[in-house]
């Protein structure tokens, strides 16, 4: 077979197969070029879902006349000049493939003007990379790229596209996600000459939050925690949804690395681990997060469409993300300014972002096989009596009656009644609080047990006969590297050869768990992510079950002191907003909510 050089257009079409998947891919590449040109406004015009026309116009720095042919040549870029530049890429584009790849499968026109130039210059391209004619044109400072008849010369690619509505939906979703990465840039999106999106530049925090609310829905910010965490040269900022505000699918997860929207398995794993102890099973967290780090610490050249990145110290990044998010979620406790963020989000039988409602309408599951209820182990008798004196208003106790004053109300208020022997009704200065007593006490008990377990270490139980496990040499090396971690969780491991490990003891709480399977699963996590929560999760699962069976049951009547003691415990307990299964533990009904129920003021 004869070896021959491929023609330029075919080379570009091959490259286009990686870069240009659908019209939204074209929009992504061209808008990223506008970002690199320091544009303050990006206008996107779409016709027929992008098949007939994609026009991207910006007010960036523009290009000189002589640069236009270079911009349409492969591997021509102003972003990098050496390997050192490639290892510290801070721009969105850097390969110099987008424009020639797009022009090889569409009819492309490029018009640009720099500041101070008398006129703009226009060039047409067909993917051949030669014979360009540059003509003067009328255009303001900035650049305009018109892409017409996408895939007109590659019909096999065109037939894989979806309907006009579907393709435009991909473009709209993409532009909204990109708008979340550039608050200082304005965006206009039109489809078939109809305005769809018009975002002004967001210059302060209020305007940024307004853009987030517009693009993600107003209920997102009402049910989200602000995050701003910095350590080891990394900074994480943005918003994460409360565990009770979740989705059935991962359609509201936006993560940006140095301003670049990415989908990364390491990031997804770290976020999932941060939520694993508080998220309702089968649900997906929602977040808009921004990770900033030294460009040298991340390789953005790991995916043809630049949708994935590779961190040079993946373990550091994973642990940083996990610690930051875990801390933010755990630190969310009731405060004196309880807000609507306490409302649950989209969960089965609950109000959802698409279907808002005033309060939680779920119920406790079956308790038919639960052990007999024991007394509520919250405070000793003397403390309960003291709480009763402090929190029960009497005519002879001025201090207790003063709790009616707004400033003296604790965050979750004071207990009034135990409704149906299930829900605690409490009153604050401005609202009513409903608490699922079992769910709340389950979380309080669980967190106590975890703290006790961590402070005293995980009890270890020797195996009658050591379990011999054959591993790869790399996995056996991990055993030695993470020996302190295994030991702290009650797992005693001894290396008996290059590829053999003996399991001599296991956490006592786990009973007859499959030691070999747990070890292999843990090593798989360590090898992939540099961290494994499996041992900790296995122990916590047992603790959660014990906490569930040891907590106050539905239909057991609680006294006022017991209820107030539980409310005070909730106010100082991590993750008290949801039980061990991810269900909400309390909701608030504000005065405005009550007025709305009865049409007061209308």
């Amino acid at each position: 077979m004869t070896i021959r050089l491929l023609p330029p257009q075919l080379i570009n079409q091959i490259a286009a197969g990686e870069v240009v998947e659908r019209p939204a891919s074209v929009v992504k590449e061209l808008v990223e070029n506008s970002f690199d040109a320091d544009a303050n406004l990006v206008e996107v015009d779409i016709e027929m879902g992008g098949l007939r026309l994609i026009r991207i116009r910006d007010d960036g720095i523009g290009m000189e006349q002589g640069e236009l042919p270079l911009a349409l040549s492969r591997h021509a870029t102003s972003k990098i000049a050496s390997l050192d530049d490639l290892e510290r890429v801070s721009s969105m584009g850097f390969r110099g493939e987008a424009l020639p790849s797009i022009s090889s499968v569409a009819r492309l026109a490029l018009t640009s003007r720099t500041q101070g130039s008398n006129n703009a210059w226009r060039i047409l391209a067909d993917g051949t990379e030669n014979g360009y004619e540059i003509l003067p044109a009328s255009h303001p400072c900035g650049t305009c790229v018109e892409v017409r008849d996408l895939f007109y010369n590659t019909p096999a690619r065109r037939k894989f596209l979806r309907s006009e509505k579907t393709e435009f939906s991909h473009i709209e979703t993409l532009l909204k996600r990109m708008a979340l990465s550039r608050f200082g840039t304005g965006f206009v999106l039109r489809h078939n000459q109809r305005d769809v999106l018009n975002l002004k530049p967001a210059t302060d925090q209020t305007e940024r939050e307004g853009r987030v609310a517009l693009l993600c829905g107003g209920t997102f910010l009402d049910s989200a925690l602000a995050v701003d965490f910095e350590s080891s040269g990394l900074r994480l900022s943005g918003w994460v949804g409360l565990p009770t505000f979740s989705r059935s699918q991962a359609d509201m997860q936006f993560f940006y690395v140095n301003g670049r929207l990415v989908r990364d398995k390491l990031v997804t794993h770290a976020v999932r681990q941060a939520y694993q102890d508080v998220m309702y099973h089968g649900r997906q967290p929602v977040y808009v997060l921004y990770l900033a780090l030294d460009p040298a610490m991340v390789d953005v050249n790991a995916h043809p469409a630049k949708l994935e990145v590779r961190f040079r110290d993946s373990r550091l990044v994973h642990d940083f993300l996990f610690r930051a998010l875990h801390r933010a979620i755990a630190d969310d406790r009731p405060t004196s300014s309880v807000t609507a963020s306490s409302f649950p989000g989209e969960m089965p039988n609950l109000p959802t972002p698409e279907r808002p409602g005033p309060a939680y309408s779920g119920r406790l599951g079956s308790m038919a096989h639960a052990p007999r209820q024991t007394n509520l182990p919250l405070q000793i008798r003397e403390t309960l009596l003291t709480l009763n004196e402090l929190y029960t208003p009497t005519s002879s106790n001025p201090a207790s009656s003063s709790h009616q004053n707004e400033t003296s109300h604790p965050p979750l208020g004071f207990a009034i009644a135990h409704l149906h022997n299930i829900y605690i009704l409490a009153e604050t200065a401005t609202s009513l609080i409903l608490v699922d007593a079992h769910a709340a006490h389950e979380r309080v008990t669980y967190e106590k047990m975890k703290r006790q377990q961590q402070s005293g270490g995980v009890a270890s139980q020797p195996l009658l006969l050591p379990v011999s496990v054959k591993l790869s040499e790399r996995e056996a090396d991990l055993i030695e590297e993470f020996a302190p971690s295994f030991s702290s969780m009650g797992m005693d491991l001894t290396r008996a050869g290059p590829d053999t490990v003996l399991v001599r003891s296991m956490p006592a709480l786990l009973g007859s768990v499959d030691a070999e399977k747990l070890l292999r699963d843990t090593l798989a996590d360590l090898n992939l992510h540099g961290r494994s929560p499996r041992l900790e999760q296995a122990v916590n699962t047992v603790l959660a079950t014990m906490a569930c069976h040891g907590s106050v049951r539905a239909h057991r009547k609680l006294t006022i002191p017991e209820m107030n003691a539980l409310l005070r415990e909730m106010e100082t307990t991590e993750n008290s907003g949801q039980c061990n299964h991810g269900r909400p533990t309390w909701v608030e009904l504000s005065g405005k909510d009550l007025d709305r129920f009865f049409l007061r003021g209308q």
Side-chain angles (χ1 to χ4, degrees):
M1 183 177 292
T2 303
I3 299 175
R4 60 184 180 274
L5 290 173
L6 296 176
Q9 186 169 22
L10 182 55
I11 293 174
N12 290 333
Q13 287 173 339
I14 293 173
E18 297 179 333
V19 176
V20 185
E21 178 184 0
R22 62 194 329 152
S25 307
V26 176
V27 174
K28 176 182 181 295
E29 295 292 339
L30 298 182
V31 172
E32 285 182 345
N33 283 346
S34 296
F35 289 165
D36 289 339
D38 298 327
N40 294 312
L41 176 65
V42 178
E43 297 181 74
V44 181
D45 286 280
I46 305 295
E47 292 182 9
M48 287 185 59
L51 289 178
R52 177 186 293 169
L53 171 68
I54 298 173
R55 181 190 296 118
I56 312 291
R57 181 187 291 112
D58 67 55
D59 60 352
I61 58 176
M63 289 177 281
E64 299 285 353
Q65 176 185 359
E67 292 180 323
L68 297 184
L70 283 174
L72 297 171
S73 301
R74 297 191 72 231
H75 308 307
T77 178
S78 61
K79 318 295 174 57
I80 61 172
S82 66
L83 180 60
D84 290 339
D85 294 338
L86 184 61
E87 292 179 346
R88 300 185 60 88
V89 172
S90 58
S91 57
M92 294 296 101
F94 52 87
R95 291 198 184 101
E97 289 184 333
L99 289 177
S101 296
I102 295 169
S103 69
S104 69
V105 292
R107 297 182 172 94
L108 185 144
L110 174 61
T111 308
S112 190
R113 178 182 176 185
T114 58
Q115 188 73 34
S117 298
N118 294 327
N119 59 270
W121 296 95
R122 180 179 177 86
I123 189 172
L124 304 178
D126 58 4
T128 58
E129 293 192 13
N130 56 48
Y132 296 126
E133 182 179 6
I134 305 176
L135 301 172
S138 176
H139 192 275
C141 291
T143 300
C144 177
V145 182
E146 291 184 350
V147 179
R148 296 183 180 273
D149 303 326
L150 185 63
F151 300 136
Y152 78 97
N153 56 355
T154 51
R157 299 283 303 281
R158 193 180 181 99
K159 70 179 182 180
F160 282 102
L161 298 180
R162 303 299 182 183
S163 67
E164 174 182 335
K165 180 179 179 181
T166 299
E167 293 301 336
F168 179 74
S169 175
H170 284 290
I171 293 173
E172 183 180 8
T173 300
L174 170 73
L175 203 64
K176 288 180 177 179
R177 294 183 175 186
M178 299 184 82
L180 288 172
S181 71
R182 289 293 191 281
F183 287 106
T185 303
F187 294 85
V188 176
L189 174 63
R190 304 183 189 92
H191 188 215
N192 297 332
Q193 289 83 48
R194 181 178 61 88
D195 283 356
V196 177
L197 199 63
N198 193 334
L199 301 175
K200 304 296 183 184
T203 56
D204 57 34
Q205 186 63 18
T206 301
E207 292 178 346
R208 294 187 191 99
E209 291 180 354
R211 178 177 288 193
V212 172
L214 180 65
L215 300 180
C216 299
T219 53
F220 170 67
L221 281 183
D222 291 339
S223 305
L225 304 170
V227 177
D228 196 347
F229 189 78
E230 190 168 359
S231 177
S232 305
L234 301 132
R235 181 182 179 186
L236 184 70
S237 59
W239 300 267
V240 292
L242 292 169
T244 48
F245 183 84
S246 60
R247 305 277 291 180
S248 60
Q249 53 190 355
D251 60 341
M252 281 185 64
Q253 298 180 350
F254 309 121
F255 196 89
Y256 303 86
V257 177
N258 289 343
R260 184 187 303 277
L261 176 65
V262 301
R263 296 194 301 263
D264 187 85
K265 294 180 181 178
L266 180 142
V267 170
T268 302
H269 185 270
V271 174
R272 187 169 63 247
Q273 292 306 315
Y275 277 92
Q276 64 90 20
D277 202 26
V278 293
M279 180 66 71
Y280 194 81
H281 60 83
R283 307 298 295 175
Q284 292 287 343
V286 299
Y287 52 83
V288 178
L289 291 170
Y290 306 88
L291 176 64
L293 71 169
D294 186 338
M297 295 180 64
V298 57
D299 179 10
V300 298
N301 195 25
H303 188 275
K306 305 186 290 292
L307 293 174
E308 298 175 7
V309 294
R310 183 182 296 112
F311 296 104
R312 304 194 191 281
D313 190 342
S314 58
R315 185 183 304 176
L316 171 68
V317 174
H318 184 283
D319 288 350
F320 169 79
L321 294 176
F322 170 78
R323 289 198 314 272
L325 296 177
H326 183 268
R327 187 76 272 146
I329 297 168
D331 284 345
D332 177 53
R333 305 173 193 179
T335 65
S336 56
S337 57
V338 179
T339 68
S341 64
S342 59
F343 281 87
E346 183 198 348
M347 291 179 62
N349 299 322
L350 296 181
T352 72
E354 301 86 359
R355 189 177 63 254
Y360 173 40
S361 59
R363 59 183 177 84
L364 291 174
S366 172
M367 298 295 178
H369 303 290
R372 185 175 62 85
Q373 173 61 42
T374 58
N375 290 333
L376 181 61
L378 287 174
Q379 303 284 347
I380 59 175
R381 183 174 182 276
E382 291 79 1
T383 305
L384 289 175
L385 291 174
T386 303
L387 287 168
N388 191 31
E389 292 177 1
L390 288 174
Y391 298 147
T392 304
T394 64
S395 57
S396 61
N397 189 348
S400 66
S401 62
S402 68
H403 81 266
Q404 298 295 336
N405 184 290
E406 180 175 344
T407 59
S408 65
H409 272 76
L412 291 180
F414 300 97
I416 299 175
H418 196 193
L419 306 179
H420 302 295
N421 294 347
I422 297 176
Y423 302 108
I424 297 172
L425 176 64
E427 180 185 19
T428 73
T430 59
S431 63
L432 294 178
I433 302 292
L434 279 173
V435 177
D436 183 328
H438 170 76
H441 189 225
E442 184 180 3
R443 171 58 71 177
V444 169
T445 305
Y446 178 43
E447 294 296 334
K448 280 185 176 180
M449 295 177 72
K450 284 200 299 182
R451 289 196 298 271
Q452 293 169 359
Q453 192 76 16
Q454 292 164 0
S455 62
V458 178
S460 181
Q461 176 177 314
L463 300 179
L464 186 62
L465 292 175
V467 176
S468 178
V469 182
K470 283 283 188 180
L471 303 169
S472 68
E473 190 169 345
R474 166 59 181 159
E475 289 174 323
D477 290 340
L478 286 173
I479 295 291
E480 294 185 339
E481 182 180 352
F482 289 91
S485 298
F486 282 108
S487 178
S488 68
M489 292 304 297
M491 199 170 190
D492 182 15
L493 305 173
T494 303
R495 189 166 184 173
D499 59 354
T500 304
V501 170
L502 296 178
V503 183
R504 298 187 179 277
S505 64
M506 291 289 290
L509 282 173
L510 299 187
S512 58
V513 68
D514 188 333
E516 180 175 349
K517 182 179 186 303
L518 181 59
L519 177 60
R520 290 189 183 278
D521 290 343
T522 302
L523 289 173
D525 286 340
L526 291 174
N527 192 39
L528 184 61
H529 304 292
R531 182 184 187 278
S532 178
R534 289 184 187 267
L535 270 172
E536 182 181 354
Q537 286 176 6
V539 172
N540 285 347
T541 298
V542 178
L543 294 180
T545 302
M546 295 169 64
C548 181
H549 293 321
S551 299
V552 60
R553 296 292 168 191
H555 307 299
R556 181 173 94 74
K557 188 70 175 178
L558 299 179
T559 65
I560 291 292
E562 285 180 317
M563 289 188 285
N564 278 321
L566 177 57
L567 295 177
R568 303 293 80 79
E569 290 266 23
M570 290 174 64
E571 290 164 356
T572 59
T573 298
E574 292 184 350
N575 302 313
S576 62
Q578 52 281 320
C579 74
N580 311 346
H581 313 291
R583 294 193 301 268
T585 58
W586 64 278
V587 294
E588 178 196 23
L589 290 173
S590 68
K592 291 182 179 180
D593 293 325
L594 297 175
D595 290 343
R596 188 171 62 251
F597 293 156
F598 297 99
L599 304 180
R600 291 177 62 88
Q602 298 184 20

